Amino acid sequence: MSTTIEPRAEDDTGVSVPKPTVYIETYGCQMNVADSELMYGKLAAYGYQPVDAPDGADVILVNTCAIRENAETRVIGRLGELRRFMKPDTIVGVTGCMAQRLGSRVLDQARHVSLVVGPDGYQALPALLEGARKGEKFTATDFDLEEHYEDVVARRFEGVKAWIPVQRGCDYRCTYCIVPFTRGPERSRKLGDVVREVQQVVEQGLSEVVLLGQTVNSYNDGTHDFAELLRAVGSVDGIRRVRYTSPHPNDFSDRVIEAMATTPTVCEHIHLPMQSGSTSMLKRMLRRYTREEYLECVARMRAAIPGLALTTDIIVGFPGETEAEFEDTLALCREVRFDDAFMFKFSLREGTPATRMPPEWTIPDDVVARRFDRLVTTVRGISRENNLGRLGDTLEVLIEKVARDGALLQARSRDFKTVMVPADAGKIGDYLTVTLTGTTGATFTGTPVSDRKERTPLPMATL
């Protein structure tokens, strides 16, 4: 018979009492994952015990995304489902970008919700929860341009890597994007604060970090730029892999590309959002670069970093998209030959400039669906061809988790390829050298080999 040991603390009289439990359900991007870790850390410092299921939790928080309408619809539905897990005194809160966008409207749509807290309000969570216990309801959605949560120790739940926010907000105003309205203007953390957090990550036993920002390569703390940040983080003793997401094509200076090429710990993978391959469409999106400038950015990076893997974001069905503009997107995919892409059907977001575009620019749903299917077929076909050409390569992988079927381990290469290895090849957190022996077109199988290949600094190519 198994026994569950309930976490306990002492009250003011010295009597042992149960610690309140908190469950956080996270939707959306890696920045939301990092924010959930901050919330867990903040509440743990106030005596809360994180749990991995909502059943009977004292506090249930849903950390939300607002990028697409279906993400918000899904959260509203999920809030209804969570009612069945509540005790009579359970407090339910909504945090993140949807909370910031909708504010008190969330309280109207879900009457059992007591808290609505935006991304800059997590310092107040302990006090807000105390008020909620007295029956009060709160909305905390003010922007705080000085808040970087430097005094909060994140409680990490990722097994092998740490998500490190280095920048919050965004100053680009792409016409389709809600982020400037949900996360405010761009501001960067001090380089020294980022480096200290990375050092703490190493002390926790992790060796891979992912630097996060809405346009991460525009990082500038007033003294240091993104190139200096990459070099500083990449030089922390114990760090073996540095990644970052998501950059903007306009902010890849020669300094940044050189820092990538000459810092051995920086991985040979860039997620470079494209959104469209048409210059006229990019102008309507207010992306601030042309098709030709995007291709020139790709060429500079590939010249400096041999073997660079590129992934991207693409939107289909943005208002006014013509068949010729969509064909430009397909053609650019064929030219760049992305390793993979996140592909989206356009979703109109309240408050964005796209809502002011003429109604007749709206693309019919059946046209969007047809274009989307063609895009998926094109990108997946290129990815499969790329991966077939990699069979026989030998490379380093980091074991990240047990595969879904339980019979294999899932690992990741430096260039972001998913590689399945035998269950007895090692344990989570181990680095292996493997030969790629098979591919489904999307993932690889790998066989461990005895030799180990270390990366040496890459020479800077002539740009």
Side-chain angles (χ1 to χ4, degrees):
M1 184 178 79
S2 62
T3 302
T4 300
I5 301 176
E6 187 177 51
R8 304 185 76 82
E10 290 187 353
D11 64 15
D12 294 338
T13 65
V15 177
S16 179
V17 295
K19 285 186 178 181
T21 56
V22 56
Y23 167 76
I24 303 179
E25 194 162 286
T26 307
Y27 295 84
C29 67
Q30 292 94 335
M31 186 68 80
N32 271 13
V33 173
D35 281 354
S36 289
E37 293 180 341
L38 284 172
M39 285 188 276
Y40 271 130
K42 181 70 178 181
L43 293 175
Y46 279 76
Y48 286 83
Q49 176 72 25
V51 293
D52 57 9
D55 309 57
D58 296 299
V59 176
I60 298 174
L61 300 177
V62 182
N63 193 12
T64 61
C65 175
I67 291 295
R68 294 185 301 282
E69 183 179 6
N70 62 357
E72 292 189 356
T73 301
R74 181 183 176 194
V75 166
I76 293 297
R78 180 58 175 161
L79 285 171
E81 294 173 358
L82 287 171
R83 294 181 72 110
R84 70 177 187 268
F85 299 110
M86 295 174 60
K87 303 181 296 184
D89 58 350
T90 294
I91 298 169
V92 176
V94 176
T95 66
C97 291
M98 174 181 159
Q100 185 72 38
R101 193 182 83 81
L102 296 180
S104 61
R105 284 184 283 175
V106 176
L107 301 177
D108 297 330
Q109 294 183 58
R111 297 299 180 90
H112 59 295
V113 171
S114 299
L115 307 176
V116 179
V117 185
D120 289 349
Y122 302 146
Q123 294 280 17
L125 272 175
L128 295 178
L129 289 171
E130 286 302 311
R133 287 194 180 88
K134 301 171 184 176
E136 301 176 55
K137 293 196 173 189
F138 298 94
T139 300
T141 54
D142 291 338
F143 288 126
D144 184 346
L145 303 188
E146 303 299 321
E147 184 59 79
H148 286 293
Y149 300 103
E150 300 297 356
D151 62 333
V152 179
V153 178
R155 188 181 181 108
R156 306 191 189 279
F157 42 78
E158 170 67 48
V160 300
K161 66 171 71 73
W163 309 100
I164 309 286
V166 302
Q167 173 203 75
R168 289 182 174 270
C170 183
D171 286 344
Y172 284 97
R173 294 279 176 153
C174 302
T175 53
Y176 55 80
C177 188
I178 195 69
V179 167
F181 306 96
T182 59
R183 288 191 174 268
E186 179 186 311
R187 61 271 195 200
S188 298
R189 296 175 65 188
K190 294 296 183 183
L191 181 144
D193 291 331
V194 176
V195 170
R196 276 190 289 275
E197 184 172 358
V198 173
Q199 290 169 336
Q200 292 170 357
V201 163
V202 173
E203 292 171 0
Q204 294 166 4
L206 303 179
S207 61
E208 179 177 320
V209 295
V210 186
L211 308 181
L212 300 178
Q214 304 304 143
T215 54
V216 66
N217 55 331
S218 67
Y219 169 92
N220 193 307
D221 70 354
T223 304
H224 307 284
D225 65 6
F226 191 62
E228 292 170 289
L229 180 69
L230 282 179
R231 295 186 192 279
V233 170
S235 299
V236 171
D237 189 32
I239 288 297
R240 292 183 60 166
R241 290 185 175 183
V242 177
R243 303 186 189 275
Y244 58 89
T245 195
S246 286
H248 194 285
N250 284 2
D251 295 312
F252 272 110
S253 65
D254 289 348
R255 282 174 51 80
V256 170
I257 294 174
E258 182 178 8
M260 285 192 63
T262 57
T263 306
T265 49
V266 175
C267 292
E268 299 85 358
H269 166 247
I270 298 174
H271 184 77
L272 186 66
M274 176 184 77
Q275 308 304 359
S276 173
S278 163
T279 294
S280 54
M281 179 62 66
L282 291 168
K283 185 175 181 179
R284 286 202 292 281
M285 291 178 169
L286 198 58
R287 288 293 289 169
R288 305 174 194 268
Y289 55 84
T290 64
R291 171 193 181 92
E292 292 73 24
E293 287 167 339
Y294 185 92
L295 287 170
E296 187 268 341
C297 179
V298 169
R300 286 189 296 128
M301 292 188 294
R302 282 182 165 162
I305 308 167
L308 178 69
L310 283 175
T311 54
T312 195
D313 295 333
I314 306 171
I315 297 173
V316 175
F318 187 77
E321 183 184 59
T322 65
E323 200 66 34
E325 288 170 330
F326 174 68
E327 291 292 343
D328 282 344
T329 294
L330 293 182
L332 193 145
C333 289
R334 296 186 189 105
E335 184 169 352
V336 176
R337 297 190 63 80
F338 295 107
D339 290 84
D340 205 350
F342 291 113
M343 295 164 279
F344 309 97
K345 297 176 183 178
F346 172 69
S347 176
L348 188 66
R349 308 307 293 125
E350 176 188 1
T352 63
T355 60
R356 299 191 292 273
M357 292 180 175
E360 59 268 25
W361 286 11
T362 301
I363 310 299
D365 289 345
D366 62 326
V367 174
V368 175
R370 174 177 55 79
R371 291 177 183 174
F372 185 79
D373 289 345
R374 288 187 64 200
L375 178 64
V376 170
T377 298
T378 299
V379 170
R380 296 287 184 259
I382 292 168
S383 177
R384 178 177 177 81
E385 291 171 5
N386 289 348
N387 288 346
L388 286 170
R390 297 292 303 276
L391 294 179
D393 286 2
T394 298
L395 69 173
E396 178 192 80
V397 298
L398 169 60
I399 300 176
E400 293 186 335
K401 60 184 178 181
V402 177
R404 192 171 301 174
D405 64 3
L408 298 169
L409 297 173
Q410 182 173 311
R412 185 83 62 178
S413 67
R414 288 176 57 94
D415 59 354
F416 212 64
K417 301 296 185 185
T418 300
V419 182
M420 302 297 179
V421 299
D424 60 357
K427 61 183 184 299
I428 293 172
D430 284 351
Y431 288 87
L432 304 173
T433 300
V434 302
T435 298
L436 301 180
T437 53
T439 181
T440 64
T443 63
F444 290 93
T445 54
T447 300
V449 296
S450 57
D451 63 308
R452 181 186 179 87
K453 294 186 177 180
E454 297 287 352
R455 181 187 175 201
T456 57
L458 297 169
M460 185 63 183
T462 302
L463 299 176

